[in-house]
Amino acid sequence: MKRLKYLFLGLVLASVGVMAQAEERDTLSVDTVEVALPWPQNIQYRLDSLVSDKMFETSIVGMIVYDLTADSVLYKVNERQAMRPASTMKLVTAITALDRLGGSYQFRTQLYYTGEVRDSILYGDLYCVGGFDPAFNSDDMKAFVESIQRMGVDTIRGRIVADRSMKDADLLGEGWCWDDDNPKLSPLSHGRDIAFLERFAKELSEAGIVLDNIRLSEGNLPNGAYILCSRFHTMDQILQRMMKVSDNFYAEAMFYQLGAATGRRPAKAKDAAGVVKQLIQKVGNGKNPYRIADGSGLSLYNYVTPELEMRLLRYAYRNSSIYQHLLPSLPIAGRDGTLKTRMKGTFAEENVKAKTGTVTGISALAGYCTSANGHQLCFSMINQGIMKSDPGRNFQDRVCNALCAP
């Protein structure tokens, strides 16, 4: 392959009248070569130079760049190597969720009651039903309390029940490191605090509602219960935090929505993984071996390939109902999110929109950019076997600059 590139280079140099000058020198400068080479050979030359770095004597890179405008592969190396994606796994989760659930999907938490109200007393139970909304906050909790006040209730005699039946009882993902600061995966939480009922009871008391021998318990919402309040956050709201700042809790909430969408209760990680694998089959990579263990990339058991991530990015680009939600959620080089401080002062600044990924031994970047000739590109690169994240990030930044530079 490289011999063909050099033959092509020779022909180009001869056509522009620089071959005679080249014979008088031992080497040609990179600038001379890039001027001589047309697009996309100039980009391919740059990338060949970058993957020849000595860092790859002790580590490996899997990379693929796809020209969405020309509908062809621009560059690839080890693109089918199975690798841990780190937080670029969130791209897989987001694209699958947008494909299966749609951009108008809502993450809900609801409050119901049973029994009856007499003389401002609720003789019955309150049910807090978790739908794994990771953004449920103090305003939402206040709305729960106010919905009870609007009934004219000042005393509750019964129970406050947590319905967490949306997902299984596992609070940690498969393959998560025990010593990481891992979020607890409860479908009913106030932010990341899983002591939802205790917080709710405290808010009720502070609002002047008497809890008369109230009991806090777990259970499923019974038939015939009356809804009091429903709070939600949109797909775009969840995507923004999940992708921009790489929030693992938000990503797992989205992952379990996929499991719940199958109709299984309680939803399990394997149910969500099954939905992801259906999309993998749809984009044409179903026969290759992958392992989908979680939605955030925290698991040591996730294994994908750069080619798979590229195919999903291409699928999203071709489907406006996905792309219009996905693209605004991605970090922008030199501007915001996990790319805020990267690629500043380069051609990639404010051009590259991509998801980062970092765990021990892995650094990854996958997303979109626009080349100097206006072609839209998508790419995925995973550096594996690096002892520090900086060399991987620096390599990725140089690749992005090479893709965007004239």
Side-chain angles (χ1 to χ4, degrees), residues 93-94 97-98 101-110 129-137 140 166 187 230-240 242 249-258 260:
T93 302
L98 286 167
L101 305 175
S104 61
Y105 186 80
Q106 296 175 341
F107 295 66
R108 291 186 174 275
T109 308
Q110 297 175 304
V129 182
F132 214 150
D133 176 4
F136 188 94
N137 56 34
D140 300 311
M166 180 259 196
S230 182
R231 300 291 289 183
F232 69 87
H233 288 89
T234 66
M235 175 67 80
D236 286 336
Q237 287 174 311
I238 304 305
L239 275 174
Q240 279 289 313
M242 168 182 165
F249 186 54
Y250 278 54
E252 294 303 328
M254 189 167 289
F255 188 62
Y256 277 95
Q257 305 299 324
L258 294 172

Side-chain angles (χ1 to χ4, degrees), residues 110-176:
Q110 297 175 304
L111 178 65
Y112 290 80
Y113 78 96
T114 59
E116 60 180 353
V117 178
R118 298 195 310 270
D119 300 325
S120 300
I121 301 173
L122 171 61
Y123 294 91
D125 302 328
L126 295 174
Y127 284 84
C128 302
V129 182
F132 214 150
D133 176 4
F136 188 94
N137 56 34
S138 297
D139 288 340
D140 300 311
M141 187 68 83
K142 182 179 179 181
F144 270 23
V145 173
E146 290 174 347
S147 69
I148 296 172
Q149 292 174 318
R150 284 195 298 271
M151 293 176 65
V153 169
D154 60 22
T155 303
I156 300 173
R157 292 178 181 171
R159 300 177 301 160
I160 302 178
V161 183
D163 184 340
R164 296 186 172 95
S165 61
M166 180 259 196
K167 72 171 290 291
D168 60 24
D170 293 340
L171 293 179
L172 298 176
E174 181 187 19
W176 287 11

Side-chain angles (χ1 to χ4, degrees), residues 39-40 43-44 47 63-77 79 283 285 306-318 323 366-371 373-381 399 403:
W39 193 93
I43 289 180
Q44 292 163 347
L47 298 184
M63 178 168 66
I64 186 167
V65 181
Y66 195 86
D67 187 332
L68 295 162
T69 303
D71 196 19
S72 62
V73 174
L74 184 62
Y75 192 86
K76 60 183 180 179
V77 58
E79 76 281 3
V283 300
N285 277 50
E307 181 187 53
L308 172 61
E309 291 192 337
M310 177 278 290
R311 284 178 179 256
L312 289 169
L313 287 165
R314 183 180 65 182
Y315 178 78
Y317 178 80
R318 292 174 174 175
Y323 192 66
Y368 302 97
C369 67
T370 303
S371 65
N373 69 344
H375 282 214
Q376 300 300 308
L377 310 178
C378 70
F379 60 85
S380 171
M381 46 186 145
V399 168
L403 294 178

Side-chain angles (χ1 to χ4, degrees), residues 45-352:
Y45 182 88
R46 295 169 190 169
L47 298 184
D48 274 343
S49 300
L50 290 172
V51 299
S52 298
D53 192 282
K54 65 179 182 180
M55 69 181 284
F56 299 117
E57 294 176 3
T58 57
S59 65
I60 187 173
V61 63
M63 178 168 66
I64 186 167
V65 181
Y66 195 86
D67 187 332
L68 295 162
T69 303
D71 196 19
S72 62
V73 174
L74 184 62
Y75 192 86
K76 60 183 180 179
V77 58
N78 299 322
E79 76 281 3
R80 293 186 176 176
Q81 176 73 47
M83 295 176 162
R84 288 166 55 200
S87 280
T88 60
M89 189 68 197
K90 293 180 176 70
L91 269 175
V92 179
T93 302
I95 294 170
T96 306
L98 286 167
D99 183 62
R100 179 63 181 263
L101 305 175
S104 61
Y105 186 80
Q106 296 175 341
F107 295 66
R108 291 186 174 275
T109 308
Q110 297 175 304
L111 178 65
Y112 290 80
Y113 78 96
T114 59
E116 60 180 353
V117 178
R118 298 195 310 270
D119 300 325
S120 300
I121 301 173
L122 171 61
Y123 294 91
D125 302 328
L126 295 174
Y127 284 84
C128 302
V129 182
F132 214 150
D133 176 4
F136 188 94
N137 56 34
S138 297
D139 288 340
D140 300 311
M141 187 68 83
K142 182 179 179 181
F144 270 23
V145 173
E146 290 174 347
S147 69
I148 296 172
Q149 292 174 318
R150 284 195 298 271
M151 293 176 65
V153 169
D154 60 22
T155 303
I156 300 173
R157 292 178 181 171
R159 300 177 301 160
I160 302 178
V161 183
D163 184 340
R164 296 186 172 95
S165 61
M166 180 259 196
K167 72 171 290 291
D168 60 24
D170 293 340
L171 293 179
L172 298 176
E174 181 187 19
W176 287 11
C177 292
W178 64 269
D179 56 347
D180 282 347
D181 184 18
N182 297 313
K184 301 296 188 295
L185 304 182
S186 170
L188 184 65
S189 62
H190 184 284
R192 286 162 170 72
D193 185 1
I194 64 173
F196 188 96
L197 295 191
E198 289 80 356
R199 178 65 178 268
F200 185 35
K202 179 181 178 183
E203 295 275 345
L204 289 169
S205 295
E206 290 177 351
I209 297 176
V210 176
L211 306 180
D212 191 359
N213 281 328
I214 207 78
R215 289 177 293 131
L216 308 181
S217 62
E218 303 277 330
N220 294 345
L221 181 71
N223 293 330
Y226 305 100
I227 190 163
L228 268 173
C229 187
S230 182
R231 300 291 289 183
F232 69 87
H233 288 89
T234 66
M235 175 67 80
D236 286 336
Q237 287 174 311
I238 304 305
L239 275 174
Q240 279 289 313
R241 183 169 180 85
M242 168 182 165
M243 305 299 275
K244 290 287 189 184
V245 300
S246 201
D247 193 302
N248 296 318
F249 186 54
Y250 278 54
E252 294 303 328
M254 189 167 289
F255 188 62
Y256 277 95
Q257 305 299 324
L258 294 172
T262 65
R264 296 184 178 90
R265 279 192 175 267
K268 300 179 182 295
K270 68 178 182 179
D271 301 325
V275 179
V276 175
K277 290 176 182 177
Q278 288 174 10
L279 182 57
I280 291 174
Q281 182 77 32
K282 187 176 181 180
V283 300
N285 277 50
K287 294 183 179 179
N288 296 346
Y290 303 107
R291 181 73 188 274
I292 309 299
D294 68 11
S296 63
L298 280 175
S299 177
L300 300 176
Y301 301 155
N302 289 312
Y303 277 93
V304 302
T305 66
E307 181 187 53
L308 172 61
E309 291 192 337
M310 177 278 290
R311 284 178 179 256
L312 289 169
L313 287 165
R314 183 180 65 182
Y315 178 78
Y317 178 80
R318 292 174 174 175
N319 291 268
S320 60
S321 60
I322 297 175
Y323 192 66
Q324 66 179 326
H325 297 281
L326 178 68
L327 188 66
S329 74
L330 294 174
I332 302 172
R335 182 192 295 179
D336 64 20
T338 54
L339 287 179
K340 185 174 183 179
T341 62
R342 291 175 59 176
M343 305 181 215
K344 283 185 173 293
T346 72
F347 291 102
E349 183 176 2
E350 297 196 3
N351 183 334
V352 168

